[in-house]
Amino acid sequence: MALNAIQMILVVIVSFLAGVEGILDQFHFHQPVIACTLIGLVTGNLVPCLILGGSLQMIALGWANVGAAVAPDAALASVASAIILVLGGQGKAGVSSAIALAVPLAVAGLLLTIIARTLATLIVHIMDKAAKEGSFAKLELWHYIAIVMQGLRIAIPAALILAIGAGPVRGLLSTMPAWLTDGLSIGGGMVVAVGYAMVINMMATKEVWPFFALGFVLATVQDLTLIALGTIGISLALIYLTLSKMGGSSNGGNSGTGDPLGDIIDKY
């Protein structure tokens, strides 16, 4: 699918916001389900990109920065895979391949993350000097420079993919043999399952399992709309919060906060 100039500009803007939010973490534009959906919205491929974003979100739920270990770049994976999906023009059929491509893109994004953080260290020293001088204007300026650098970390690769164009991307995808595309589809499904399993493993408590089972059962009822499922989900969440306030910690003691799941997470 060929994009016009306005769509390309909007895609780059979304990519820039995804990079910025990877640090600010206020509006969550870097989350796959939001980044992919926004790119699908501005390019006219909402449904395939929404499916892609939802699948990638299940993988990204298992990614976290722990100490000095940096998690794969979810923002770059979301943006790059969504753009490739749109340019490839395969629609829903290309979601599995895009998911499989997103994982190596996320790992490759670690290099850009390391470079950006290394430069940010230099910026901190410059800001320390500005603070000693009492120059608030310089402090604000370097704050903006650091944030813009994070946005460009995602916007520049996105612009490069757009510069390649739909033709080469579609040609590359069409030349891929069947065994490779099938393998990518299977691998993409396995990656989603592994990410989902990591989330379940973290949440696996006797207090949460009943809600997990109810969600799976309700999802099979075809007469329920997304609004109905969302309403049921909110109701179950409110029930859980009410019960958690009435009970103690997950280990039966009185030292918990009243939220069994929160007590388990706090231990980590």
Side-chain angles (χ1 to χ4, degrees):
M1 173 182 177
L3 302 179
N4 56 45
I6 296 178
Q7 288 176 321
M8 290 183 180
I9 293 173
L10 292 175
V11 168
V12 173
I13 291 175
V14 172
S15 304
F16 181 84
L17 293 176
V20 169
E21 279 300 297
I23 298 298
L24 297 181
D25 202 17
Q26 292 182 334
F27 301 101
H28 294 278
F29 288 133
H30 65 295
Q31 296 293 346
V33 69
I34 297 180
C36 292
T37 301
L38 290 176
I39 290 178
L41 183 63
V42 300
T43 59
N45 292 265
L46 181 59
V47 174
C49 288
L50 181 58
I51 296 174
L52 173 63
S55 300
L56 291 180
Q57 189 67 56
M58 297 307 304
I59 303 174
L61 286 175
W63 292 346
N65 296 328
V66 180
V70 182
D73 195 341
L76 181 60
S78 306
V79 169
S81 60
I83 295 175
I84 292 174
L85 175 63
V86 171
L87 294 180
Q90 296 179 336
K92 297 180 182 179
V95 171
S96 298
S97 299
I99 293 173
L101 291 174
V103 176
L105 287 172
V107 177
L110 285 176
L111 176 61
L112 295 177
T113 301
I114 293 173
I115 293 174
R117 296 193 177 194
T118 302
L119 294 177
T121 303
L122 300 177
I123 292 176
V124 169
H125 293 299
I126 296 175
M127 295 174 67
D128 286 338
K129 184 178 179 181
K132 291 180 180 179
E133 297 173 355
S135 177
F136 290 98
K138 287 185 179 179
L139 282 172
E140 291 183 356
L141 174 63
W142 283 103
H143 266 112
Y144 285 119
I145 292 175
I147 291 299
V148 169
M149 177 183 64
Q150 296 293 339
L152 294 177
R153 174 177 60 88
I154 306 299
I156 292 177
L160 291 176
I161 297 175
L162 290 172
I164 294 175
V169 173
R170 189 181 302 110
L172 176 63
L173 294 176
S174 62
T175 56
M176 295 172 62
W179 61 266
L180 181 57
T181 55
D182 293 342
L184 289 175
S185 300
I186 296 173
M190 292 175 62
V191 170
V192 174
V194 171
Y196 201 21
M198 293 174 64
V199 177
I200 295 174
N201 184 54
M202 183 180 67
M203 299 175 59
T205 63
K206 61 181 181 181
E207 295 86 0
V208 177
W209 275 118
F211 298 96
F212 181 79
L214 283 173
F216 258 98
V217 172
L218 291 174
T220 61
V221 181
Q222 298 181 356
D223 294 335
L224 292 177
T225 63
L226 290 178
I227 296 178
L229 289 174
T231 303
I232 294 173
I234 294 175
S235 301
L236 291 176
L238 292 175
I239 294 173
Y240 174 79
L241 291 175
T242 302
L243 293 177
S244 64
K245 291 179 181 179
M246 296 172 59
S249 65
S250 59
N251 56 12
N254 297 322
S255 60
T257 61
D259 183 1
L261 179 58
D263 293 339
I264 294 175
I265 296 177
D266 289 340
K267 292 180 181 180
Y268 290 94

